[in-house]
Amino acid sequence: MAKAPTVYDVASDAGVSIATVSRVLRRPADVRESTRERVMASVRELGYVPSGSARGLAARRTGALGLYFPGFDAMDDLDEISDLSANESPGYTLIDDVGGAQDSHQFNLYFDEVLRGAELEAWRRGFALTVAVGRGGLAADAVRDMAGRVDGLLVLSQSVPDDALEQLARRIPIVVLASKAEGGPFDSVTVSNREGMHALAAHVIGDLGSGDIAYVAGPLDSPDDTDRWAGFVSALRERGMEPGDVRLRRGEFTRASGRRAGADLLASGDLPKAIICANDQMGLGVLDALNGSGVRVPDDVVVTGFDGIEAANLSSPRLTTVHQPMEMVGRAAIQLMQRRLDDPEAEPASMRLPVKVLLRESSERK
Amino acid sequence: MAKAPTVYDVASDAGVSIATVSRVLRRPADVRESTRERVMASVRELGYVPSGSARGLAARRTGALGLYFPGFDAMDDLDEISDLSANESPGYTLIDDVGGAQDSHQFNLYFDEVLRGAELEAWRRGFALTVAVGRGGLAADAVRDMAGRVDGLLVLSQSVPDDALEQLARRIPIVVLASKAEGGPFDSVTVSNREGMHALAAHVIGDLGSGDIAYVAGPLDSPDDTDRWAGFVSALRERGMEPGDVRLRRGEFTRASGRRAGADLLASGDLPKAIICANDQMGLGVLDALNGSGVRVPDDVVVTGFDGIEAANLSSPRLTTVHQPMEMVGRAAIQLMQRRLDDPEAEPASMRLPVKVLLRESSERK
DNA sequence: CCCTTGAGTGTATGCGCATACATTGCTATC
DNA sequence: GATAGCAATGTATGCGCATACACTCAAGGG
């Protein structure tokens, strides 16, 4: 790895000054064509690549945006993969997976899709995108480090302590994703959790006629859960019902906890007419429990989820759900960031993205 | 956004020199504790965040690694999401999705998982990870820009023109993912495509007894397809069969092309005993075609896929497949990069990662 | 023929940090 | 009590680029 050539090398090779080299790269129109070609030839010949650090320092902008997500502390089973001698192994393992768990680690699909949208939009605008997933307790440090190297920061709500965030906001624009509160001090992107659940619940209740309903909620500290519950309650009230009229169970947004909730309801010997779940994983878990017991969905019980994950589209019956536009969340965040960079003084804005209520076989009789 | 404080501001606030400030942050042990605390207090008070650009320039390393993936040109339907007034909308759309397509855009799950692995491993090593997805014809430019801002580049095979890559390799370490050829000039990570398909095919053929087999291949220009075919052929030969003894169809790695292949085989009126597909999407397509026609899988026909995507775990019957360790690919790539950064003169190395052959209901009779 | 004008290029500087080297003030040593 | 030795800190410099400003030169105007 020879020492990387710099503007100086290119300049002397092409017989011009470094200013001209820089201009050829940044404002080609300002340079005579013959000069430009000479410089470009040297650039190619030397394999010159401008230093991002030097550019960033001189121009006072890095041209990169940062995306920070909270991680799952648990996943850090930190084994080295192997030494290179792995090449000697047979290269495969035979596994009898018949009857294997249909459960699956689909845990951070949320991250994946948001990232994809953010990357797309960042690319369109000429930004690089740097990603970091928080792990362990060093969120504040990690995000701080990131803040030093980007022009703007996209942060998932709750992933960074509020005080640390406000600190950073003094230096660098911040957009909060999936913020619980619109109208905070930051630009933010939210999803119509509440409206979506309201629409879904209203539909289910309206179809049913009867009010015999169970609600499988998520953890108490989840803002998503709070919003969805609020939407559900408002739909109830429209029908003259109260939260007290509903059988409420609380899970952890996991398929296993959905299975438990479903089994409990079965065991009670008195199934409700509908089981509304605060997310898809739990909805799928409920389906698991019911499918194993001869109960027919949707004929005996209607089941719904929330999120619109892929597995909800592949279950049988397919799960009625509310699809969150996760990729759009990423894209919208970058758009808000662009706006903020263009006009640092603008009032904090909030984008609320629409959801799609997908009525499928788990709730619709043909 | 007040002007960001610098080392100079912190130094004067704390009554020390900038060298001391820098030391407090980088080599705390070299500074007396009382001084250190004074400096840290100023850092906190001023909300100081070190400039990544300046650090990178002075230290000659950016502390970031880059991950470059080819994109899907088609996906760029570049609509602006909306103005901020979207907040006035109802926030949801009701969609009757009964009988909706179970097909799904699972297109860049590969990207997602590799990224996740790379991010994890980069984080462990204190690197930031910058991602870019190539779009349009500017791969060389985009990757060049990226090269200027990272200490090392991970590149998916085929995503960057070879000459551009070799150019860059003179300046910056490069690791190629899913390289077709081990033993090239670059460090690379590959997956045991060939060995996996060999094992799977040998298992199927052995079970079957008979040799009546169809193979649904992918596009001719796919290195993955080439390797898998090679593994398949070697398994055939072990049984004394030749490629000519097999019915070969070629698809495009899509579910639709799998459906077509399945329909064709059905229409021939003479189903083979096994249909080996070069990827899961096509395998699922074949299942789609067969499921609609009363043919029983695996009793009448065995069907297999390759890749281990989630949908293959959720189909009915569940699809026997070969699972690629995509997250491991990302992790291994970072490990190779670390090694290369530690020892720039090391011989190019290649890691071949093992796959898992997952025998499931589409090939196994109980 | 002198002056103005503008296109094209060069010179000089600063961006914010890390770090080699110099300096200071102690303590330990004899 | 003089000196070597070390810990703690300061001074000065360069990293590679963008860019404000200065300069040159040729064409056009008076």
Side-chain angles (χ1 to χ4, degrees):
Chain A
M1 214 75 48
K3 180 180 168 310
T6 71
V7 265
Y8 295 97
D9 301 315
V10 174
S12 88
D13 187 78
V16 297
S17 75
I18 63 161
T20 297
V21 175
S22 183
R23 276 190 283 257
V24 166
L25 266 36
R26 305 301 150 213
R27 316 184 48 176
D30 286 4
V31 179
R32 186 181 312 168
E33 180 169 349
S34 60
T35 316
R36 200 189 314 151
E37 284 169 0
R38 201 147 35 90
V39 171
M40 285 309 295
S42 296
V43 165
R44 274 189 298 274
E45 167 156 9
L46 299 177
Y48 169 68
V49 176
S51 151
S53 293
R55 284 226 274 155
L57 186 56
R60 263 155 287 235
R61 341 178 299 101
T62 64
L65 298 178
L67 177 60
Y68 188 86
F69 258 69
F72 300 76
D73 298 350
M75 72 176 283
D76 297 359
D77 46 350
L78 303 179
D79 47 323
E80 291 295 315
I81 290 181
S82 73
D83 52 342
L84 302 174
S85 62
N87 291 357
E88 311 309 326
S89 76
Y92 66 91
T93 317
L94 261 184
I95 297 176
D96 179 359
D97 191 38
V98 172
Q102 270 162 271
D103 219 0
S104 64
H105 79 125
Q106 65 71 246
F107 57 143
N108 27 14
L109 294 186
Y110 193 90
F111 172 100
D112 295 337
E113 294 203 34
V114 172
L115 169 66
R116 200 177 301 147
E119 201 286 327
L120 172 63
E121 208 65 27
W123 167 81
R124 288 181 51 194
R125 295 174 150 70
F127 287 104
L129 187 70
T130 298
V131 304
V133 175
R135 296 184 184 84
L138 327 83
D141 289 337
V143 80
R144 181 182 219 74
D145 179 79
M146 183 161 210
R149 59 173 80 227
V150 298
D151 295 331
L153 216 44
L154 315 185
V155 173
L156 191 74
S157 178
Q158 310 292 76
S159 63
V160 180
D162 282 350
D163 52 340
L165 212 54
E166 291 187 29
Q167 178 89 312
L168 289 176
R170 287 162 41 190
R171 279 184 90 295
I172 187 179
I174 290 184
V175 172
V176 177
L177 306 192
S179 165
K180 51 181 184 293
E182 304 183 35
F186 303 116
D187 293 313
S188 65
V189 180
T190 65
V191 157
S192 300
N193 272 305
R194 185 188 164 118
E195 293 78 2
M197 181 58 94
H198 178 106
L200 174 63
H203 174 85
V204 168
I205 299 172
D207 250 23
L208 234 50
S210 117
D212 193 2
I213 297 178
Y215 187 90
V216 182
L220 274 170
D221 60 352
S222 156
D224 282 342
D225 187 70
T226 308
D227 283 350
R228 292 171 195 176
W229 173 250
F232 176 70
V233 167
S234 70
L236 282 182
R237 296 217 159 104
E238 279 183 6
R239 293 277 165 168
M241 301 169 65
E242 287 299 319
D245 303 336
V246 165
R247 295 189 236 174
L248 175 63
R249 312 201 87 75
R250 200 165 289 283
E252 297 104 42
F253 278 162
T254 63
R255 192 156 181 164
S257 69
R259 268 194 286 262
R260 279 193 297 276
D264 285 356
L265 289 167
L266 270 175
S268 76
D270 171 31
L271 273 181
K273 287 275 184 270
I275 305 177
I276 312 263
C277 303
N279 82 340
D280 283 343
Q281 293 283 46
M282 296 194 300
L284 293 170
V286 168
L287 284 185
D288 290 342
L290 300 183
N291 281 341
S293 73
V295 172
R296 291 167 308 160
V297 178
D299 306 84
D300 300 330
V301 193
V302 162
V303 177
T304 69
F306 205 109
D307 277 346
I309 68 176
E310 189 49 31
N313 187 37
L314 298 169
S315 58
S316 50
R318 293 167 63 236
L319 186 64
T320 285
T321 185
V322 178
H323 179 261
Q324 299 208 55
M326 304 192 262
E327 182 172 330
M328 283 298 162
V329 167
R331 296 187 51 188
I334 299 279
Q335 293 185 8
L336 278 176
M337 179 58 73
Q338 176 83 69
R339 164 179 166 282
R340 169 68 44 196
L341 291 170
D342 291 343
D343 177 11
E345 303 307 323
E347 285 298 301
S350 172
M351 279 179 81
R352 182 163 57 77
L353 301 180
V355 296
K356 289 181 189 162
V357 180
L358 300 175
L359 305 175
R360 301 202 282 224
E361 286 80 354
S362 76
S363 71
E364 308 299 297
R365 290 159 206 163
K366 274 319 205 23
Chain B
M1 216 74 48
K3 179 180 168 314
T6 70
V7 264
Y8 296 97
D9 300 316
V10 174
S12 87
D13 187 79
V16 298
S17 76
I18 63 161
T20 298
V21 175
S22 183
R23 276 191 281 257
V24 167
L25 267 35
R26 304 301 151 214
R27 318 183 47 174
D30 287 3
V31 179
R32 186 183 311 167
E33 180 169 350
S34 60
T35 316
R36 199 190 314 152
E37 283 170 359
R38 201 147 36 90
V39 171
M40 284 310 293
S42 296
V43 165
R44 272 190 298 273
E45 166 156 9
L46 298 178
Y48 169 68
V49 176
S51 152
S53 293
R55 284 225 272 156
L57 187 55
R60 263 155 285 232
R61 339 178 303 102
T62 64
L65 298 178
L67 177 59
Y68 189 84
F69 257 69
F72 298 75
D73 298 350
M75 72 176 281
D76 297 359
D77 46 349
L78 303 179
D79 46 322
E80 291 296 315
I81 290 181
S82 73
D83 52 343
L84 302 175
S85 63
N87 292 356
E88 311 308 326
S89 75
Y92 67 91
T93 317
L94 262 184
I95 296 176
D96 180 357
D97 190 36
V98 173
Q102 270 163 270
D103 218 0
S104 66
H105 80 125
Q106 63 71 248
F107 57 143
N108 26 14
L109 294 185
Y110 193 89
F111 172 100
D112 294 337
E113 293 202 34
V114 172
L115 169 66
R116 199 176 302 147
E119 202 285 327
L120 171 62
E121 208 65 27
W123 167 81
R124 286 180 52 194
R125 296 172 149 70
F127 287 105
L129 188 70
T130 297
V131 304
V133 176
R135 295 183 186 86
L138 326 84
D141 289 338
V143 80
R144 181 184 217 73
D145 179 80
M146 185 164 211
R149 59 172 81 227
V150 297
D151 295 331
L153 216 44
L154 315 186
V155 174
L156 191 73
S157 180
Q158 309 293 72
S159 63
V160 179
D162 282 351
D163 52 339
L165 213 54
E166 292 185 27
Q167 177 88 313
L168 289 176
R170 289 163 39 192
R171 280 184 89 299
I172 186 180
I174 290 184
V175 172
V176 177
L177 308 192
S179 166
K180 50 181 183 294
E182 303 183 34
F186 304 117
D187 293 313
S188 65
V189 180
T190 66
V191 158
S192 301
N193 272 305
R194 185 189 166 117
E195 293 78 2
M197 181 59 93
H198 178 106
L200 173 63
H203 174 85
V204 168
I205 299 172
D207 249 21
L208 234 51
S210 117
D212 193 1
I213 297 179
Y215 187 90
V216 183
L220 275 171
D221 59 351
S222 157
D224 281 342
D225 187 68
T226 308
D227 282 351
R228 293 171 194 175
W229 173 249
F232 175 69
V233 168
S234 69
L236 282 183
R237 295 217 160 105
E238 280 183 4
R239 293 277 165 169
M241 300 170 65
E242 287 299 321
D245 302 337
V246 164
R247 294 188 236 174
L248 176 64
R249 312 202 88 76
R250 200 165 289 281
E252 296 103 43
F253 278 162
T254 64
R255 191 157 182 161
S257 69
R259 271 193 286 261
R260 278 194 297 277
D264 284 357
L265 289 167
L266 271 173
S268 76
D270 171 31
L271 273 181
K273 288 275 184 266
I275 305 177
I276 311 262
C277 304
N279 83 340
D280 283 343
Q281 293 284 43
M282 297 195 298
L284 293 170
V286 168
L287 284 184
D288 290 342
L290 299 183
N291 281 341
S293 73
V295 173
R296 291 168 307 160
V297 176
D299 306 84
D300 299 331
V301 194
V302 162
V303 178
T304 69
F306 205 110
D307 276 348
I309 70 176
E310 189 50 31
N313 186 37
L314 299 169
S315 58
S316 47
R318 294 166 62 237
L319 186 65
T320 285
T321 185
V322 178
H323 179 261
Q324 300 208 54
M326 304 192 265
E327 183 171 330
M328 282 298 163
V329 168
R331 295 185 54 189
I334 299 280
Q335 293 185 8
L336 279 176
M337 179 59 73
Q338 177 84 70
R339 165 178 165 282
R340 169 67 46 199
L341 291 170
D342 291 343
D343 176 11
E345 303 307 325
E347 285 297 301
S350 171
M351 279 179 83
R352 182 162 58 77
L353 301 180
V355 298
K356 289 181 190 162
V357 180
L358 300 174
L359 304 175
R360 301 201 283 224
E361 287 80 353
S362 77
S363 71
E364 307 299 297
R365 290 159 205 160
K366 273 320 207 17

